[in-house]
Amino acid sequence: MSLPTRVKICGLRDAAMLDAAVQAGAAYVGLVFFEKSPRNVTLAQAAALAAMVPAGVAKVALVVDADDAQLDALLAQVPVDILQLHGAETPARVTEVKARYGLPVMKAVGVAGPDDLAALDIYAQVADQLLVDAKPPKGADLPGGNGLSFDWRLIAGRRWPVPWMLAGGLTPANVAQAVALTGAGQVDVSSGVESAPGVKDAALIAAFCAALR
C-alpha cells in the first residue's frame, strides 16, 4: 500500500517495529549505527532485520562520521540500499563514499535559520538525496532524533536538483501541515512515533502514515 508522500521510519530495532512500518506503508526503513543513540543496532541485529524487509522497501543505514573501516564492516554484513550520512561529512567525503561503495548517499543537513540553507545547495550537487533536518541543539549527544523541528517556512517552495526528505520533530499531529507548508514529497520520522526513546509504537506509526493519505 503506497502513500502519496513517501515515508521513512527511522531507528527500527526489532521485527515488530519493522513489521509495523512496512504494514503502515513506509517506503524506507532506517537502521541506526551510532552507539550514543537509543536506536543503535549491532551489525548482527541489523543483518537479521534487513533480511526481513520486503522487496520495494528501501533499507537505509544511518551513520555518523563513519570511516571506511566502519563502512566496510557494515556493508560486509548488512545489505542496505542507501547510506545516510548524518554527521559533519564534507561534500568531498560524500563523493568519496559514493565512489567507494557504489550506493546512493543521502546527506542530512541541519537547518535552524536562513544561514543554513546554503549548505543544502552545496550538498545537492554531490548527494543523491537530501535529508532536511532540524539542527541539533549545541552540545547535543545526538545529531538527529531529538524531536525538534525548525521553521518550515524557511524551505517553503524551495527545490533542489535531487530528491529531498523533510525531518525533525514530525509527529502524527503535525506531519500533514508540514507537507502542506513545504511541499515535501518525502518525510522521515523517528522519535515522533515512539512511546519512549528507541521504542517505536505501532499505533503511532500507523497514525503517522494515515495522516498522509
Side-chain angles (χ1 to χ4, degrees):
M1 154 189 48
S2 63
L3 302 166
T5 305
R6 290 164 66 81
V7 173
K8 174 168 165 275
I9 307 288
C10 196
L12 300 169
R13 292 171 53 232
D14 62 37
M17 290 182 192
L18 179 69
D19 188 54
V22 170
Q23 292 302 319
Y28 304 83
V29 291
L31 302 170
V32 173
F33 301 91
F34 183 57
E35 286 182 3
K36 289 182 180 177
S37 172
R39 304 166 188 99
N40 184 54
V41 285
T42 65
L43 296 183
Q45 285 174 309
L49 287 171
M52 300 173 197
V53 178
V57 177
K59 301 178 289 292
V60 182
L62 184 160
V63 296
V64 178
D65 300 315
D67 60 23
D68 287 352
Q70 290 169 292
L71 291 174
D72 288 351
L74 192 168
L75 294 171
Q77 286 193 55
V78 188
V80 302
D81 303 303
I82 299 171
L83 286 169
Q84 178 179 329
L85 306 184
H86 213 109
E89 298 90 358
T90 62
R93 178 60 177 157
V94 173
T95 302
E96 225 172 66
V97 169
K98 279 176 59 170
R100 182 177 174 90
Y101 299 104
L103 286 172
V105 171
M106 180 187 296
K107 178 67 181 98
V109 179
V111 173
D115 294 350
D116 299 314
L117 299 179
L120 288 164
D121 296 325
I122 293 166
Y123 282 104
Q125 303 305 315
V126 290
D128 297 285
Q129 294 209 41
L130 296 173
L131 183 80
V132 187
D133 200 0
K135 196 177 251 189
K138 277 195 169 51
D141 281 341
L142 304 180
N146 292 300
L148 299 173
S149 58
F150 62 96
D151 184 350
W152 298 318
R153 290 171 298 188
L154 286 168
I155 60 164
R158 287 178 67 95
R159 296 294 176 266
W160 296 276
V162 293
W164 63 282
M165 191 176 280
L166 180 66
L170 297 176
T171 67
N174 69 13
V175 67
Q177 178 199 4
V179 167
L181 205 62
T182 61
Q186 308 189 110
V187 292
D188 174 83
V189 66
S190 187
S191 61
V193 290
E194 290 180 348
S195 55
V199 182
K200 294 289 183 283
D201 183 303
L204 288 175
I205 290 173
F208 186 90
C209 292
L212 294 165
R213 288 208 175 88

